[in-house]
């Protein structure tokens, strides 16, 4: 009998999606032997305020472009279509409805891993998905392992992996574009072309000047 389909979920604003997001997702896919990874762009993140947020449609399109050549990667519009704050428990319910009987792995950053017990309906999240975190900066591994024990005592299933870090943030990419620096090598070529064509993250005309 075939085992359950193992699906990773990686959420974020992806404003814009960049090569480090893909690198991170690939590492989780390999280390957890995932069959599929679903990129989940948020409409409005409940945990942080994002400056210069591109439209949901633009961010969805960029995610599609960045993963078009990666057969295990899929992008969902679900949170974008909610038109409000994006809550993880609702997304997990939706994905389980789309992929009944699958095994879900929720991929979160270290800061989110350490606070997930404070999210909306954490017990339901723990029931539906394995919580996955990984060290991206020196000193995080011990904190993650310690908090793993706390979460598991509260009923969660967890996976903590070691990551090969490629530190880069979407904020850095946006700042480069806004100040006339070319971030082309940090993005999928089709994502960069899309940003230029749409004039995203810059004053009118400045993105075109970087071509």
């Amino acid at each position: 009998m075939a085992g359950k389909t193992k699906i990773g979920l990686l959420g974020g604003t992806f404003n814009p999606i960049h090569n480090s997001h893909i690198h991170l997702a690939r590492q989780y896919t390999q280390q957890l032997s995932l069959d599929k990874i679903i990129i989940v762009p948020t409409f409005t993140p409940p945990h942080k305020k994002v400056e210069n947020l591109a439209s949901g449609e633009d961010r969805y399109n960029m995610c599609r472009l960045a993963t078009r050549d990666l057969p295990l990667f899929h992008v969902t519009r679900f949170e974008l279509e909610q038109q409000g704050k994006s809550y993880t428990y609702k997304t997990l319910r939706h994905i389980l409805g789309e992929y009944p009987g699958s095994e879900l792995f929720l991929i979160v950053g270290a800061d989110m891993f350490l606070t997930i017990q404070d999210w909306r309906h954490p017990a339901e999240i723990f029931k539906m998905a394995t919580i996955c975190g990984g060290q991206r900066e020196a000193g995080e591994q011990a904190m993650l392992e310690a908090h793993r024990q706390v979460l598991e005592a509260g009923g969660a299933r967890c996976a903590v992996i070691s990551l090969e870090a490629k530190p880069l943030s979407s904020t850095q990419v946006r700042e480069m574009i806004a100040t006339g620096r070319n971030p082309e090598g940090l993005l999928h070529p089709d994502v960069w072309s899309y940003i230029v064509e749409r004039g995203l993250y810059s004053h009118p005309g400045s993105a075109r000047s970087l071509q």
Side-chain angles (χ1 to χ4, degrees):
M1 180 182 295
K4 291 183 177 181
T5 300
K6 298 172 69 174
I7 301 176
L9 284 87
L10 179 61
T13 51
F14 300 112
N15 188 44
I17 189 168
H18 51 69
N19 291 346
S20 287
H21 289 133
I22 302 301
H23 176 73
L24 175 71
R26 278 176 155 164
Q27 287 189 82
Y28 277 102
T29 300
Q30 292 167 1
Q31 294 195 42
L32 298 175
S33 300
L34 302 178
D35 300 302
K36 185 189 302 286
I37 188 153
I38 299 178
I39 302 295
V40 189
T42 62
F43 182 72
T44 304
H47 305 292
K48 62 181 180 180
K49 182 179 179 180
V50 180
E51 299 294 337
N52 201 4
L53 184 64
S55 73
E57 189 67 17
D58 282 333
R59 291 181 288 114
Y60 172 79
N61 288 337
M62 288 188 285
C63 287
R64 287 289 303 274
L65 291 170
T67 59
R68 67 192 309 175
D69 301 321
L70 303 172
L72 299 186
F73 284 60
H74 300 261
V75 185
T76 178
R77 289 180 181 270
F78 175 73
E79 292 193 0
L80 296 174
E81 292 174 349
Q82 301 309 294
Q83 296 294 302
K85 288 187 176 180
S86 301
Y87 290 109
T88 297
Y89 76 95
K90 292 183 178 180
T91 302
L92 294 174
R93 285 179 186 172
H94 172 75
I95 298 299
L96 283 175
E98 283 201 328
Y99 301 94
S102 60
E103 184 178 0
L104 302 187
F105 294 78
L106 180 63
I107 300 168
V108 296
D111 54 341
M112 297 291 99
F113 188 89
L114 297 173
T115 59
I116 194 168
Q117 69 279 356
D118 301 322
W119 293 13
R120 290 283 183 94
H121 304 302
E124 187 172 357
I125 293 174
F126 297 163
K127 183 177 179 181
M128 291 188 286
T130 298
I131 313 304
C132 306
Q135 172 178 297
R136 282 190 281 179
E137 296 182 11
E140 286 183 345
Q141 192 75 12
M143 288 191 300
L144 292 172
E145 289 290 356
H147 199 65
R148 172 183 185 166
Q149 297 179 32
V150 174
L151 293 176
E152 290 179 342
R157 290 162 291 144
C158 299
V160 175
I161 72 172
S162 179
L163 299 170
E164 177 193 345
K166 284 192 175 181
L168 174 67
S169 71
S170 295
T171 300
Q172 289 173 297
V173 174
R174 294 195 305 273
E175 288 176 349
M176 289 179 71
I177 296 170
T179 56
R181 290 173 290 162
N182 193 324
E184 185 174 4
L186 307 176
L187 306 167
H188 188 288
D190 291 343
V191 171
W192 175 235
S193 295
Y194 186 91
I195 290 171
V196 171
E197 181 64 29
R198 301 280 291 177
L200 302 178
Y201 312 121
S202 59
H203 298 296
S206 63
R208 292 183 181 276
S209 69
L210 296 176
Q211 294 186 84

